[in-house]
Amino acid sequence: MNDSRKAVFTDRIASDRGTARDAAARALKMRLETIAVHAGAEIDSTTGALAPPLHLSTTFEHGPAGEAIHEFLYIREKNPTQSRLEAALRDLEGGAAALVFSSGMAAAAALLQTLTPASHVVFSDDIYIDVRNLVRDFLPMWRVESTKEDLQDLQVLEAAIRPNTKLVWIETPSNPLMKVLDISAIADIAHQAGAQLVVDNTFASPILQRPLALGADVVLHSTTKYCGGHSDVQGGCLVVKNRELLDKLFHVRDILGAVASPFNSWLILRGLRSLPLPCRMERHSENAAVVAAALSVSPRVEAVYYPGLRSHRGHEVARRQMNQFGGMLSFLVRGGREEALRVASCVKLFVNATSLGGVESLIEHRASSEGKASNAPQNLLRLSVGLEHPDDLVEDLMQALG
Ligand SMILES: Cc1ncc(COP(=O)(O)O)c(C=O)c1O
């Protein structure tokens, strides 16, 4: 490379970094709606493009001795489209940094892989089935100890803590029982024991709940869900407060390779732009509230699990720590498994499908989809309430319930 080209490139990198830093500093003072639109959205310095460029290059020019003259070297380490998504997620969750992964499970596994043998983790009992399967099938091989408890009761957590407890891992609201856990209180207990708290914030999204501000140390997302928002992309992320943990996670991701692809990063970044309250999350929450209210007065329904209902055990905690109650809910059909399956087979608008957080409404018999390891009641149906008109959704469920 001749020296004049190098100088131009070096200047451009310096100014790009400056812009990103300034944007991050500004973002801290901005409201979530504004952050969602502007974080990671620096204008492309070579073309002036407002929409983020999709950089597919796997490799980047470096200096003769491998100097990273353009910041990037190799796609698995980091790439420009992915860095923009990380900036956006970092600012939305209010963390020090974010790392994005090829899936939510890859993010979960990476976090557990930072633990040394003989560490102990306390998990809340109602967590995503494949995280439970990861704990069952892999932690013993990695010599990491684990305990699974119902952490709605804080005394249970205090009793579960051991001298070697390094992490407390919770999901709130939880999948599929919609348990609400008190993030601040759990963070205090974890910290007193010298452990860190990780919150899987997938169901709430950063728009409805910001665990780091409530005391958590790490936030996990399956960005496949609300962050992507259109059921067309898979991804995961970890947002951290702590640089030491970031370095460990970066090493795990780089060496084990479960990094997000540029195209997936680009799609998720696009999804994030419309996530805030006046758009998607508000509508998901409002629709779910209407559906939950209708189900809770149906004689065919035994119970409705939605944190927005006053009758929900975690309602007061949810009011304190969430902006709205989200688009996920579960309900128990009177008449057991067969009746629940019948209802699921009679819906016309809801689609029988797994996953959540897309624009379309989904229904799922969780016990069937989770398989043998499932804790879900046999008459439980989980709903991911989409962005359709709520009256159409209620009518569909009512005709299916009969
Ligand atoms: C709460 C929660 N966490 C993590 C995951 C895993 O994410 P992914 O499917 O992107 O690996 C899921 C997937 O459904 C989930 O619902």
Side-chain angles (χ1 to χ4, degrees), residues 133-146:
N133 292 337
L134 170 65
V135 171
R136 184 196 60 201
D137 298 343
F138 290 87
L139 289 198
M141 281 200 293
W142 300 340
R143 309 231 184 290
V144 171
E145 299 164 19
S146 64

Side-chain angles (χ1 to χ4, degrees), residues 330-343:
S330 299
F331 65 103
L332 304 182
V333 178
R334 218 175 273 287
R337 174 187 167 89
E338 292 316 312
E339 188 56 14
L341 291 175
R342 189 199 62 73
V343 171

Side-chain angles (χ1 to χ4, degrees), residues 257-285:
V259 69
S261 76
F263 187 48
N264 284 13
S265 300
W266 189 86
L267 280 172
I268 294 162
L269 189 57
R270 190 178 215 243
L272 285 180
R273 301 296 180 219
S274 62
L275 189 61
L277 283 174
C279 314
R280 283 200 278 120
M281 289 315 293
E282 184 178 59
R283 184 66 186 266
H284 281 297
S285 299

Side-chain angles (χ1 to χ4, degrees), residues 89-136:
L89 287 162
R90 174 200 65 202
D91 291 348
L92 278 169
E93 285 289 2
L99 286 177
V100 291
F101 293 82
S102 53
S103 67
M105 283 310 299
L111 183 54
L112 292 170
Q113 280 164 332
T114 62
L115 296 172
T116 47
S119 303
H120 172 244
V121 187
V122 182
F123 292 90
S124 52
D125 61 346
D126 189 46
I127 50 174
Y128 173 58
I129 183 73
D130 278 336
V131 176
R132 269 189 273 148
N133 292 337
L134 170 65
V135 171
R136 184 196 60 201

